[in-house]
């Protein structure tokens, strides 16, 4: 059974659940000044239901951009 997967293709409309609600991944990139040239291959981890649970590196910097940990297992 697949628990989570890494993908390198952020899609339009991708959102992540944060402590304050939801945030579009595209807005996360803009807010953190990630160059457009790097966004298409930015690592994203999603759980088996297709919910984004981690946006690589940015979640470590911002802390709150990790979905409820119960979905990770």
């Amino acid at each position: 059974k697949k628990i989570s997967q890494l993908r390198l293709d952020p899609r339009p409309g991708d959102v992540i659940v944060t402590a304050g609600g939801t945030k579009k991944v595209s807005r996360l990139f803009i807010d953190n000044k990630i160059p457009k040239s790097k966004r298409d291959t930015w690592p994203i981890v999603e759980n088996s239901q297709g919910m984004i649970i981690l946006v690589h590196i940015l979640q470590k910097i911002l802390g709150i951009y990790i979905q409820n940990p119960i979905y990770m297992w």
Side-chain angles (χ1 to χ4, degrees), residues 29-51:
F29 289 149
I30 292 165
D31 292 349
N32 288 279
K33 298 175 176 51
I34 304 301
K36 285 185 180 184
S37 61
K38 293 186 178 187
R39 296 177 194 172
D40 288 341
T41 57
W42 201 266
I44 291 177
V45 178
E46 58 183 27
N47 66 13
S48 60
Q49 290 93 26
M51 296 172 68

Side-chain angles (χ1 to χ4, degrees), residues 4-5 16 20 23-24 27-28 34 38 40 44 47-48 53-54 69-71 73:
S4 63
Q5 71 178 10
I16 188 166
K23 185 156 189 144
K24 287 187 174 185
R27 175 50 53 188
L28 187 63
I34 304 301
K38 293 186 178 187
D40 288 341
I44 291 177
N47 66 13
S48 60
I53 57 174
L54 183 126
I70 197 164
Y71 292 113
W73 318 120

Side-chain angles (χ1 to χ4, degrees), residues 2 7 9 13 18-19 22 29 37-38 40 45 50 62 65-66:
K2 183 170 52 172
R7 62 179 168 97
D9 61 335
T18 69
T22 60
F29 289 149
S37 61
K38 293 186 178 187
D40 288 341
V45 178
L62 300 172
Y65 292 104
I66 299 177

